Amino acid sequence: MRFDIITIFPEFFRGVFDFGIVRRARAGGLVEVAAHDLRGWTHDRHKVVDDRPFGGGDGMVLKPEPIFEAVESLTGLAGGDAERFREAGRRVVLLSPQGRSLTQALAGELSKAEQVVVICGRYEGVDERVAEALATDEVSIGDYVLSGGEPAAVVLVDAVTRLVPGALGSETSAVNESFSEGILDFPNYTRPVEFRGRRVPEVLLGGHHAEVARWRRRAALGKTRRNRPDLFERAELSDAERERAGGGDD
Ligand code: ADE
């Protein structure tokens, strides 16, 4: 799988993909990541990529022409019908606070693509024709405004890469983690057994696998209820589980 990031700050990405799982996936040839300067697809002396918004208002908007040209040259496909990219196993992601949320499910979908082109928005926005007719997906990484899509691109590449088969040490290790079931991960402890007066829960020290599993499930549900009531509401739980997690603060 190949990531092609389109940005006005290609230097931003220097070094960020040289760590941990992403570095290993790149070294092993599972993923390639390249950052491209949007200005390379301009044709004027000053390499202008933005312009004033029609209708007035503050700030500048990224022009459509260089972005369309960039995506067309990086995919070898004509823009104008995003469905064609999907059919060819490509995704074109426009990062913006107006997008749909990046979830584990969407990351999983993107991990199956042959190529993911990532467009980093900037300034006050991007000409809407990019969202209308070029991008297969308009994606936000959360309900806050970044000054540009670049940090979001790093998040997306990381979340997607670790789901590419073979990227994690064991093929199954992405199955048991937070969000894979719509709830948060269970809490973990390591040595020492007692640290500054706080002990590791006794059940984890006993080696009784079924009891440990029960405790982890309960603790995960309790944590989900406290920290992410939205997920807890939507999770598919038995009445008994919902009841048990609904009580005290464990
Ligand atoms: N660009 C600015 N804010 C963003 C966000 N929350 N997600 C993705 N891209 C963005």
Side-chain angles (χ1 to χ4, degrees):
M1 110 106 67
R2 182 182 168 84
F3 293 97
D4 287 293
I5 302 169
I6 300 168
T7 172
I8 58 168
F9 297 131
E11 295 296 302
F12 182 93
F13 298 95
R14 190 191 290 219
V16 282
F17 300 124
D18 293 344
F19 302 90
I21 285 164
V22 176
R23 183 197 59 76
R24 211 176 53 204
R26 292 174 64 212
L30 295 176
V31 306
E32 272 178 80
V33 190
H36 309 273
D37 190 347
L38 178 62
R39 294 185 198 279
W41 285 279
T42 56
H43 302 288
D44 60 304
R45 240 159 41 92
H46 299 291
K47 301 185 188 297
V48 174
V49 293
D50 57 350
D51 206 341
R52 294 200 307 270
F54 280 119
D58 292 338
M60 300 290 270
V61 173
L62 287 180
K63 295 155 60 64
E65 306 97 311
I67 299 179
F68 270 71
E69 277 194 40
V71 171
E72 288 173 335
S73 79
L74 291 170
T75 59
L77 298 168
D81 176 4
E83 200 49 40
R84 269 204 299 270
F85 292 126
R86 280 182 187 255
E87 282 164 9
R90 328 289 183 88
R91 300 288 277 258
V92 178
V93 175
L94 170 62
L95 290 168
S96 96
Q98 283 76 46
R100 68 173 158 134
S101 302
L102 178 61
T103 60
Q104 193 67 10
L106 177 55
E109 236 183 77
L110 295 175
S111 74
K112 298 186 177 81
E114 225 169 273
Q115 181 186 27
V116 178
V117 178
V118 181
I119 304 165
C120 300
R122 266 281 140 181
Y123 304 118
E124 268 55 47
V126 178
D127 187 287
E128 188 63 15
R129 286 163 290 196
V130 171
E132 288 169 1
L134 188 66
T136 58
D137 306 84
E138 185 173 7
V139 174
S140 163
I141 64 158
D143 292 340
Y144 39 79
V145 180
L146 303 168
S147 40
E150 285 76 11
V154 174
V155 169
L156 183 130
V157 168
D158 190 289
V160 172
T161 294
R162 53 198 301 294
L163 298 180
V164 171
L168 296 181
S170 118
E171 292 273 342
T172 56
S173 43
V175 174
N176 288 318
E177 61 189 13
S178 288
F179 303 113
S180 59
E181 248 196 297
I183 64 169
L184 302 181
D185 207 352
F186 54 78
N188 282 295
Y189 297 85
T190 185
R191 290 184 293 183
V193 168
E194 186 167 330
F195 173 67
R196 299 194 180 182
R198 305 192 65 87
R199 273 185 73 77
V200 173
E202 259 351 281
V203 57
L204 299 180
L205 308 176
H208 190 304
H209 292 307
E211 276 182 26
V212 168
R214 256 197 308 279
W215 182 89
R216 284 181 166 167
R217 176 80 181 168
R218 249 189 98 160
L221 289 173
K223 193 145 187 170
T224 305
R225 180 181 59 79
R226 285 195 306 281
N227 286 354
R228 294 294 305 276
D230 56 322
L231 292 182
F232 187 74
E233 231 11 78
R234 273 186 277 137
E236 283 186 27
L237 305 176
S238 69
D239 290 347
E241 277 186 317
R242 200 168 285 279
E243 187 105 333
R244 241 179 283 129
D249 223 32
D250 70 319

